[in-house]
Amino acid sequence: MHPTIARYASTRDLLASATAAAAQQRQDLRLIDAWRPVADLPALHQAAFAAELAAHLPPPAGPAAALRTRLVWQCTLRTDPDAAGPADHRFQETARRILAATGIATDGDPASCRWALLRLGGHEARLVAPLARPDGSVVDTGRDRSLALAVCQLAESRSTGTGTRRPRAATAGTAGHRPGLLSTPSPVVSAAARAGRRP
C-alpha cells in the first residue's frame, strides 16, 4: 500500500474529484469508514455529506483565501493492481493508523478532526479529513508524507511477514513528492507509526 497526499480548498472540490476519478475508471465510490458510524451519515453523493464533514472548517474570507489555505487533506492509498484487491478492513486499519500518526484523529477522541474513508474500486481508497478540530485549531501536517509512508510500510511488512518492501511499492505514487524527502522514513518516524502517534 502506498500513500499520496493532496490538499483541496473545500470538501466539495475533493468529493467532485473523487467522483470524477470513479467515473473515469468506471468504478463505484463507496464510503467504508468515518469519524462516526457510516450508517448515520448522509449519502455520499449528497451535499449534506460534504457539509457535515467540513462542519469545523473556518469560513474562508473568499475563494482566493480558500485556495491559499487548502485545509481539506486527502491521503490516497493504492495497492498493487496485479494482486488481489484487499478487503475493506485492511484499508480501514491503515487509514486509522495514519490518522493517529499524523495527529489528525485518534479513535474515541471527540476533539479530533472529522474524517471519511472512500473506497474506489479494488485497489484504491481515499482518506479525507478537513484539518480543523471542534475547538477551531488547525492540525499541523508538516510530516504527513513520511508518517503515512511509515505506516504503510509497517502494514505491508506485517501482511507479508517480512520487513522488506515489494519493488512496486518503492516507485508507485511519486506524484506530489517533496524535494529532499527520503523514501525510507527515519527510525523515529517508524516508531511513531508503530505507536500510532506523531513523533
Side-chain angles (χ1 to χ4, degrees), residues 8 14 16 23 26 33-34 49 63 79 85 110 115 130 133 135 137 142 144 152-153 163 170 178 186 190 193 196-197:
Y8 289 80
L14 188 151
R26 297 182 180 179
D33 204 359
F49 176 80
T79 62
W115 59 273
R133 301 184 182 97
D135 65 2
S137 61
D144 55 355
C152 290
Q153 288 179 343
R178 285 181 180 172
S186 70
S190 297
R197 59 172 176 74

Side-chain angles (χ1 to χ4, degrees), residues 62-128:
L67 286 171
R68 282 196 305 273
T69 54
R70 292 185 181 270
L71 289 179
V72 183
W73 181 89
Q74 175 181 276
C75 179
T76 300
L77 300 170
R78 293 185 179 91
T79 62
D80 186 347
D82 297 329
D88 285 350
H89 73 85
R90 278 201 59 206
F91 278 123
Q92 292 163 346
E93 290 166 1
T94 303
R96 286 175 178 264
R97 286 183 176 274
I98 289 172
L99 289 167
T102 55
I104 293 173
T106 305
D107 282 350
D109 182 4
S112 293
C113 297
R114 295 183 173 190
W115 59 273
L117 182 63
L118 315 177
R119 180 80 185 252
L120 200 167
H123 298 278
E124 183 176 321
R126 299 191 179 197
L127 178 57
V128 179

Side-chain angles (χ1 to χ4, degrees), residues 11-12 15 31 35-36 38 40-56 114-116 130:
T11 51
R12 289 175 186 265
L15 292 172
L31 176 63
W35 79 97
R36 66 186 182 95
V38 169
D40 296 343
L41 291 170
L44 182 60
H45 64 274
Q46 295 178 1
F49 176 80
E52 186 168 350
L53 183 61
H56 302 310
R114 295 183 173 190
W115 59 273

Side-chain angles (χ1 to χ4, degrees), residues 13 22-23 27-29 81 100 104 117 147 155-156 161 166 171 181 188-189 194 196 199:
D13 290 347
Q27 302 281 2
D28 292 330
L29 185 65
I104 293 173
L117 182 63
L147 289 165
E156 185 160 337
R166 288 183 291 193
T171 56
L181 180 66
V188 173
V189 170
R194 285 192 294 274

